[in-house]
Amino acid sequence: MLGLKPYFFALFFLPIFLVAQNPKVTISGLLKDASTKAPLSFVNVVFKSPQDSSLITGTISNEEGRFSVAELSSGTYVLELSLIGYRRSIQRVEVGKLSAFLDLGILELQEDAVQLGEIVVSGQQDEVNSRMDKKTFSLSDNLSQSGGSVLQAMKNLPGITTDNDGKVQLRGSDKVTILIDGKQTALTGFGNQKGLDNIPASAIEKIEIINNPSSKYDANGNAGIINIIYKKNQEEGWNGKIGVMTGLGALWPKAESLPGIRTQYQVTPKFNPSVALNYRRKKLNTFLQSDWLLDKTLNRNEFTTRFYEDGEVVRQQVQRNRTTTNIAAKAGIDYAISANDALTISGLYSSEHVLDDGDIPYFNQNLSERRRLWQFHEDEYNTAFTGSAVYQHKFKQAGHLLNLSFNYTFHREDEKYFLTNINPTFTGRDTFKLIADENVSDLNLDYVKPLKHGRVEAGFKFRRRYIPTNMRFFPGINSPLDTNAAGWANYGETIPALYSNYIYERHNFEVEAGLRVEYVQLKYAVNPEHNTYKSDGYNYIQPFPSVRLSYNLKANHKLSLFYNRRVDRPDEGDIRIFPKYDEPEILKVGNPALKPQFTNTIELGYRTSWAKGYWYSALYHRIVDGTKIRIGTIVPGSNIIYNIYQNAGLSYNTGLEWIVQQSVSKWFSFNANLNVYRNVIDAFTIENKYPVPSVFSAAKTTYTAGNAKLNLAFKFPKQLDLQVTSIYLAPDIIPQGRIAARFSVNLGLKKTIQDGKGELFLNGTDVLNTLRIQKTITGSGFSYTTTDYYETQAFRVGYSWKF
């Protein structure tokens, strides 16, 4: 069973801050003489209503015979073409929702009049997303997360959850690709989401969740894509926004620490000033966004009891007090070279300094004997920069585009750990240092051509990614560090890819079909002195098709069928060969023999809308080959657990997702989301090679889980808004075990002042202090239970002003 009680269904769903979409379309064409084929200038081009022939919009053709009409809503129109000396031409034009540009091609004018019969309007209202492959959420409506990070805001979105490492999961899978303004960057990583908690939500305009990406997107990310879009003002002259946020977290402890360790962080301060500036003048637009973040937090407070088959029991606590200082800035210019050519140059910079003080006491079962106290101080700098140059050429035909872009990303990870190993008979002091420099170059070419009933897209991408790493160990007396596992390792990845995509829309039927073909070569060079691992890698050339079929059943009712094939390529951190000793008895180590996992997904979606709301539902099924999971094993004579990524074979994820939004009255509305899925992991056997070969076998595992989320929005007089959000996550399976249910409630209050230019906000996350992560893990010869009472509760107050 789910573990989802009926009253949770009724009360606890989470918000979706959906941006209602009403897409506008530009129609273009070329007018010629039917006999001479010469272009016709100054032709009157008029779009009328088919019901009463009232004028909607119009223009005239230029000297080349071309015309372009913008800002047309989806629907059916009467197009009239007239020019002195020529017969008036009247025809019906259908405007869909899938393409921002449509090309009517060559239209010819002849003599004699033609009368038009009655025409029925077929326009429809657009609500979630016309293609049902993407959901868009505005963070300006996210009152309960104002002043927080992007990662915190994501937890409120439908289908998204996070694990205790802060990794984003979409519909129960953590194989998610994170983009910023449509590009992978060093800030969010190419195989992880390490920087999301350091991006203030105040800098973000909206977040897109793309469950079924088309072939124009990179094939990586089995579960889908999350695209974070920064704010960017387009008004003339100077404009911008400044803001400041301050707050406190962990107002009262969830669990008291074990005896003899440093005090856990409590009443932790948060401070975040921000500024966004924009200046537009004629052909030039410049922009700057900058944030400074200071955050103290109880990053981890995990209590664990380990059981071994020889009867040994170990009780421990991992307490990590963290102080984070982060500076993030995005700046750039948009320059209109000519009417048809534009250049954008931008840069995204982030500097993060993390100081961690950790305590890990190890006791016997009844806490009468402390066997060991492991303390560490981490001093880590993460510096990231992404530079981007985008050139766009607009052909004479409206919407006919060529984009050429180059992106370069650099990320330095500089970690220093100072360790103190306190035992009954000695105290040892150890140190390890890691330097990893990530360099990524992307060259992209994208081409778009509108058609009469859709468009074609095609493009090319070339990526080169190189990451040299160096781990050094400095052991003290009786050191537990595996000094022979240190040294250097170099990660090199080369990916050329081609894609094409075709979109067709006619009457009530839509087709989108694409194919992406990519070649990947990964080489992971390991220093010859490493005591376990050798150089490894892989290469493949694979097709990644995507298909979407949609049918409009009737007005405001749509049915869509999706299929796509995607891949999750191991990130450098997944195969990194060095053990990391912030937890010396439950170690995490990479695996250079790890291979990609491939996923086939099929989804059936349905949506309907009405005057004050909408309903969306989806049934999806994913088949994963080469499932990538972390497996823990022990070696004879030791109680250390080694957690290492492995390819476990086949797994399946089948689920249902529901989203509903309703505006009940002028002062009250709600959004609700329910996601129920069934995870299956087939039986498998793997071998962890570090530090010595150890075999683990697991039987087939099946479990049904899900999450329910609700957002209640209240609008009071005098521009005062209140939001209450709640999240319930059902029990679920994880590698080698299960994770228990989780629940939290968030509150947000916003007051608009200064004639709409200023805002005051007050919010609280996990106000009841109920969110904790409980897990049970079973391995060969051991098992353990763990509960993490890390900091989730925080209250913030802030102010922002637009000018």
Side-chain angles (χ1 to χ4, degrees):
M1 294 297 295
L2 280 176
L4 294 171
K5 296 182 179 180
Y7 57 84
F8 281 123
F9 279 58
L11 296 177
F12 302 117
F13 295 68
L14 176 91
I16 54 174
F17 307 102
L18 201 55
V19 175
Q21 299 186 29
N22 184 21
K24 301 297 184 181
V25 179
T26 297
I27 303 290
S28 63
L30 177 60
L31 295 168
K32 289 186 177 183
D33 185 291
S35 301
T36 66
K37 308 303 180 184
L40 296 177
S41 305
F42 308 110
V43 176
N44 292 307
V45 179
V46 177
F47 286 85
K48 294 184 176 181
S49 167
Q51 291 180 315
D52 56 12
S53 296
S54 60
L55 176 66
I56 303 297
T57 187
T59 186
I60 61 173
S61 61
N62 63 15
E63 63 276 6
E64 297 178 345
R66 296 185 180 276
F67 71 88
S68 178
V69 176
E71 297 295 309
L72 281 170
S73 299
S74 60
T76 299
Y77 298 88
V78 174
L79 171 61
E80 290 190 8
L81 306 173
S82 62
L83 180 64
I84 296 176
Y86 288 84
R87 272 192 291 171
R88 178 174 302 188
S89 173
I90 302 176
Q91 58 182 283
R92 187 174 76 168
V93 175
E94 295 176 359
V95 178
K97 305 173 185 179
L98 304 186
S99 299
F101 297 90
L102 294 176
D103 180 31
L104 301 181
I106 298 174
L107 303 175
E108 298 180 342
L109 295 185
Q110 300 178 351
E111 296 181 336
D112 294 332
V114 176
Q115 297 297 322
L116 178 69
E118 182 182 1
I119 299 174
V120 178
V121 177
S122 59
Q124 294 185 4
Q125 178 186 354
D126 195 343
E127 50 291 332
V128 176
N129 169 267
S130 295
R131 294 188 288 189
M132 296 169 63
D133 64 339
K134 179 169 66 177
K135 308 178 203 61
T136 306
F137 308 92
S138 171
L139 293 196
S140 63
D141 298 327
N142 192 350
L143 306 186
S144 64
Q145 295 294 346
S146 298
S149 70
V150 170
L151 181 63
Q152 292 167 338
M154 281 185 177
K155 296 176 183 179
N156 284 353
L157 304 184
I160 292 182
T161 56
T162 59
D163 61 19
N164 58 325
D165 293 324
K167 199 164 188 179
V168 173
Q169 298 173 323
L170 187 57
R171 290 178 171 176
S173 172
D174 62 2
K175 308 305 184 289
V176 183
T177 295
I178 306 292
L179 307 179
I180 292 182
D181 292 332
K183 299 182 290 290
Q184 288 180 287
T185 70
L187 194 58
T188 54
F190 287 80
N192 56 61
Q193 305 100 32
K194 63 180 66 175
L196 289 177
D197 211 22
N198 295 321
I199 302 176
S202 60
I204 304 305
E205 178 70 25
K206 57 187 176 181
I207 294 176
E208 297 176 337
I209 299 176
I210 308 171
N211 292 115
N212 296 281
S214 71
S215 62
K216 71 178 181 180
Y217 291 98
D218 190 284
N220 201 42
N222 289 332
I225 292 171
I226 297 175
N227 186 24
I228 301 167
I229 300 176
Y230 266 74
K231 293 178 179 177
K232 190 173 181 181
N233 209 319
Q234 300 293 331
E235 298 177 9
E236 280 291 326
W238 281 103
N239 50 82
K241 185 177 183 179
I242 59 174
V244 63
M245 178 280 299
T246 186
L248 295 173
L251 297 188
W252 65 84
K254 296 180 184 179
E256 297 295 335
S257 296
L258 296 181
I261 66 173
R262 290 172 287 190
T263 303
Q264 61 181 258
Y265 270 2
Q266 192 175 337
V267 193
T268 54
K270 290 90 170 54
F271 184 62
N272 173 214
S274 63
V275 60
L277 299 173
N278 197 90
Y279 178 73
R280 176 177 288 275
R281 177 73 179 219
K282 296 181 179 179
K283 294 184 176 182
L284 187 66
N285 181 58
T286 60
F287 54 90
L288 168 68
Q289 294 162 298
S290 182
D291 290 86
W292 184 74
L293 177 68
L294 172 64
D295 186 10
K296 284 193 172 183
T297 180
L298 180 59
N299 179 258
R300 189 176 176 187
N301 193 28
E302 189 173 69
F303 294 77
T304 301
T305 302
R306 287 181 272 144
F307 304 90
Y308 295 88
E309 63 180 7
D310 62 2
E312 182 182 6
V313 177
V314 178
R315 290 183 63 182
Q316 68 178 77
Q317 176 188 359
V318 180
Q319 176 185 286
R320 181 187 292 147
N321 293 324
R322 170 168 291 183
T323 301
T324 301
T325 306
N326 182 267
I327 298 173
K330 183 181 181 182
I333 61 171
D334 302 317
Y335 178 64
I337 302 171
S338 67
N340 296 325
D341 299 277
L343 178 67
T344 297
I345 298 175
S346 62
L348 179 63
Y349 172 80
S350 173
S351 177
E352 177 195 39
H353 186 202
V354 177
L355 294 174
D356 278 348
D357 288 302
D359 292 76
I360 312 177
Y362 300 92
F363 285 86
N364 62 351
Q365 187 171 10
N366 61 10
L367 300 180
S368 62
E369 176 190 359
R370 192 183 77 183
R371 300 170 178 174
R372 178 187 189 187
L373 173 61
W374 182 266
Q375 293 183 320
F376 66 85
H377 173 72
E378 178 190 10
D379 189 345
E380 178 180 358
Y381 280 93
N382 285 291
T383 305
F385 170 77
T386 295
S388 176
V390 181
Y391 166 75
Q392 182 180 84
H393 174 70
K394 297 180 180 179
F395 295 90
K396 293 180 179 180
Q397 176 192 12
H400 189 186
L401 302 174
L402 179 68
N403 292 313
L404 178 64
S405 65
F406 177 77
N407 306 308
Y408 172 72
T409 281
F410 172 79
H411 172 228
R412 164 161 286 188
E413 182 182 358
D414 184 353
E415 290 184 351
K416 303 180 185 69
Y417 274 84
F418 304 93
L419 312 170
T420 303
N421 186 17
I422 303 172
N423 286 264
T425 58
F426 72 91
T427 296
R429 302 189 185 279
D430 307 270
T431 302
F432 70 83
K433 300 181 179 181
L434 171 70
I435 291 286
D437 287 341
E438 183 174 28
N439 300 270
V440 187
S441 297
D442 283 334
L443 178 66
N444 297 272
L445 181 67
D446 298 283
Y447 175 78
V448 181
K449 180 174 176 55
L451 304 173
K452 186 175 182 179
H453 298 289
R455 68 183 184 275
V456 291
E457 303 169 333
F460 167 79
K461 179 175 182 176
F462 181 84
R463 168 173 292 172
R464 173 60 183 168
R465 187 174 179 219
Y466 179 66
I467 310 175
T469 58
N470 193 348
M471 173 76 86
R472 291 181 294 166
F473 289 152
F474 303 90
I477 62 171
N478 298 321
S479 175
L481 304 186
D482 185 359
T483 56
N484 293 321
W488 59 265
N490 296 331
Y491 175 103
E493 184 182 57
T494 303
I495 308 176
L498 291 167
Y499 79 88
S500 63
N501 206 37
Y502 173 68
I503 296 96
Y504 176 82
E505 181 180 17
R506 191 69 187 274
H507 301 300
N508 294 324
F509 185 67
E510 301 166 8
V511 177
E512 181 174 2
L515 177 65
R516 188 179 190 92
V517 178
E518 70 174 23
Y519 170 76
V520 175
Q521 182 185 68
L522 174 69
K523 293 182 179 179
Y524 191 67
V526 175
N527 74 87
E529 288 77 28
H530 195 280
N531 57 9
T532 302
Y533 291 126
K534 304 299 179 185
S535 297
D536 213 321
Y538 60 83
N539 63 81
Y540 67 76
I541 182 168
Q542 290 278 348
F544 296 96
S546 63
V547 178
R548 180 183 62 84
L549 304 174
S550 293
Y551 185 74
N552 295 317
L553 302 173
K554 55 182 179 178
N556 301 330
H557 295 266
K558 189 170 187 176
L559 192 66
S560 289
L561 180 66
F562 300 88
Y563 166 78
N564 65 61
R565 183 174 187 262
R566 298 184 63 77
V567 64
D568 183 73
R569 301 184 290 266
D571 186 48
E572 186 272 335
D574 300 334
I575 65 179
R576 185 177 288 179
I577 60 174
F578 317 118
K580 188 175 181 181
Y581 286 93
D582 54 348
E583 216 299 36
E585 295 190 10
I586 306 180
L587 282 174
K588 293 181 179 179
V589 189
N591 176 13
L594 195 64
K595 299 297 186 287
Q597 68 173 32
F598 295 90
T599 300
N600 289 280
T601 301
I602 187 168
E603 178 173 328
L604 180 65
Y606 168 78
R607 69 181 173 94
T608 184
S609 63
W610 49 93
K612 294 185 178 182
Y614 70 89
W615 169 277
Y616 167 82
S617 59
L619 171 65
Y620 56 90
H621 179 64
R622 291 194 291 239
I623 304 172
V624 183
D625 188 11
T627 305
K628 184 163 70 78
I629 56 177
R630 196 183 285 273
I631 298 297
T633 57
I634 58 175
V635 299
S638 172
N639 65 358
I640 298 176
I641 299 170
Y642 297 90
N643 284 309
I644 301 174
Y645 270 117
Q646 297 284 355
N647 294 109
L650 288 173
S651 64
Y652 311 89
N653 174 243
T654 305
L656 280 167
E657 182 178 37
W658 293 276
I659 299 173
V660 63
Q661 176 176 298
Q662 179 65 46
S663 191
V664 180
S665 65
K666 292 182 179 181
W667 60 271
F668 174 66
S669 63
F670 70 88
N671 300 311
N673 165 234
L674 176 65
N675 192 36
V676 179
Y677 54 85
R678 188 171 184 82
N679 285 331
V680 179
I681 302 176
D682 276 354
F684 66 91
T685 298
I686 57 91
E687 181 184 57
N688 278 353
K689 292 185 177 181
Y690 182 85
V692 296
S694 179
V695 176
F696 173 78
S697 296
K700 182 177 180 178
T701 307
T702 301
Y703 202 76
T704 301
N707 53 76
K709 306 178 181 182
L710 175 69
N711 171 61
L712 305 177
F714 302 87
K715 290 186 175 294
F716 299 111
K718 298 183 179 181
Q719 295 183 301
L720 183 65
D721 297 332
L722 172 66
Q723 183 183 77
V724 182
T725 67
S726 8
I727 309 171
Y728 176 75
L729 308 178
D732 200 355
I733 59 171
I734 55 177
Q736 294 181 275
R738 283 174 167 76
I739 185 169
R742 291 148 284 167
F743 169 68
S744 64
V745 174
N746 305 324
L747 298 175
L749 187 67
K750 182 178 74 173
K751 168 69 174 174
T752 302
I753 58 176
Q754 297 171 305
D755 297 324
K757 293 186 176 181
E759 287 183 353
L760 291 170
F761 69 82
L762 171 67
N763 64 38
T765 59
D766 192 22
V767 294
L768 303 179
N769 217 15
T770 56
L771 187 58
R772 61 206 59 185
I773 296 179
Q774 298 174 316
K775 296 183 294 184
T776 302
I777 303 294
T778 301
S780 298
F782 73 92
S783 66
Y784 64 87
T785 61
T786 177
T787 303
D788 194 347
Y789 298 94
Y790 68 110
E791 178 185 320
T792 56
Q793 181 193 67
F795 293 88
R796 298 179 176 88
V797 61
Y799 166 77
S800 65
W801 177 62
K802 297 178 183 178
F803 59 91

